[in-house]
Amino acid sequence: MQEHITETRWIMNNRTMTTVYVDRDSISLKTRSRSGCSPQHFIILKKELQRLEEKKYLITKDIHSYAELRLCDAVGGAKVLEFSFTWLKDAGRDSVSGYTERIRLPYEPFRSYAAGEKENIDGTRWRLLSIPEQSRPKLEFHSRKNLKAVVENPILRHKLGKFLDQHFNWYNYERIVLTDDYLPYSFFFEGYMVQGTKTCGGVILHGEEDIQTAKYGIHT
């Protein structure tokens, strides 16, 4: 029994529990994560969720707080609903304080419950764990010269590896293709999204005159 409790806490520490309350004309959400609970419920009208189906994007507010909703296609074809909450509260003296919280929920069960397609009545509640952070997109090097030069230099190899590990953890991207840039030790990249669109840019080494202090940066 003790092992089961420990495992449950470990899962919660890495994900966010969202509680959804359903009423006739609206739903309200409250979140709980390792950092704590949301300061209040966030109420969204059901007619606004209908607009989300059409536009794929919605900004809404409730009292002091705001939420940005985005309906996305995830890897594998499932739809994901992304929430970006800006939780605000009155800090006194005509000022507010707060924080931003971002969670991702599987869309189909959320939509079914909010629309009343599941067996529920007004005033019921439903709990759902957020989707874990998705794996980073696959990195593909189509490089003839610059990658070889980086790999042969231990300092640059470490810097590039660390930079790639900290970047490109982009939502809804399947792969990032890197090719030689005209600058030494640098790369041009194309990021391919699930929807078929792509983003272009560069992974550029700045200050290559001094390898010890040179730094990689990303440009789009």
Side-chain angles (χ1 to χ4, degrees), residues 1-216:
M1 183 65 179
Q2 183 63 38
E3 291 183 358
H4 175 73
I5 294 174
T6 302
E7 178 67 14
T8 301
R9 287 176 179 171
W10 181 88
I11 292 173
M12 277 295 297
N13 282 344
N14 290 275
R15 299 165 74 179
T16 299
M17 177 69 76
T18 303
T19 304
V20 183
Y21 300 84
V22 179
D23 288 308
R24 183 180 301 276
D25 299 317
S26 65
I27 65 168
S28 63
L29 301 95
K30 193 170 181 63
T31 64
R32 177 187 294 271
S33 66
R34 178 170 53 185
S35 59
C37 298
S38 57
Q40 69 248 3
H41 290 82
F42 194 100
I43 298 175
I44 304 176
L45 296 177
K46 289 185 177 180
K47 64 181 180 181
E48 290 188 296
L49 293 178
Q50 293 174 356
R51 294 206 330 260
L52 176 66
E53 287 268 1
E54 302 170 1
K55 305 295 185 181
K56 310 299 182 186
Y57 179 78
L58 173 69
I59 295 179
T60 184
K61 64 179 181 179
D62 176 29
I63 309 178
H64 296 298
S65 299
Y66 296 83
E68 177 182 346
L69 286 68
R70 191 182 301 271
L71 187 57
C72 304
D73 294 322
V75 176
K79 290 190 178 298
V80 171
L81 182 56
E82 296 183 355
F83 288 89
S84 180
F85 291 105
T86 301
W87 297 108
L88 301 175
K89 60 181 180 180
D90 190 349
R93 297 183 179 180
D94 296 324
S95 64
V96 295
S97 64
Y99 62 95
T100 298
E101 180 182 33
R102 190 168 185 266
I103 62 172
R104 304 165 71 236
L105 300 177
Y107 180 62
E108 288 304 326
F110 177 89
R111 184 193 63 80
S112 297
Y113 193 88
E117 295 179 8
K118 293 184 180 295
E119 294 183 1
N120 63 314
I121 57 176
D122 287 352
T124 60
R125 68 179 182 180
W126 174 59
R127 290 191 176 99
L128 182 66
L129 279 174
S130 64
I131 299 173
E133 294 294 316
Q134 78 176 45
S135 300
R136 66 183 65 237
K138 180 181 179 182
L139 297 179
E140 298 180 9
F141 277 95
H142 297 178
S143 172
R144 297 181 179 180
K145 181 179 65 173
N146 288 3
L147 181 60
K148 182 176 184 295
V150 170
V151 170
E152 290 176 346
N153 187 305
I155 297 176
L156 287 180
R157 184 171 68 239
H158 173 74
K159 289 187 175 185
L160 179 61
K162 184 178 180 180
F163 181 85
L164 295 176
D165 186 58
Q166 295 174 342
H167 295 78
F168 292 127
N169 191 13
W170 295 352
Y171 291 103
N172 301 319
Y173 278 79
E174 292 183 305
R175 61 194 180 103
I176 308 293
V177 178
L178 298 102
T179 55
D180 283 341
D181 189 84
Y182 69 92
L183 295 172
Y185 313 116
S186 299
F187 305 91
F188 174 78
F189 74 82
E190 293 180 316
Y192 294 88
M193 301 184 71
V194 176
Q195 299 91 331
T197 56
K198 66 180 181 179
T199 300
C200 301
V203 175
I204 308 300
L205 182 69
H206 298 281
E208 68 273 7
E209 300 83 4
D210 186 346
I211 298 301
Q212 293 287 345
T213 59
K215 292 183 179 180
Y216 276 101

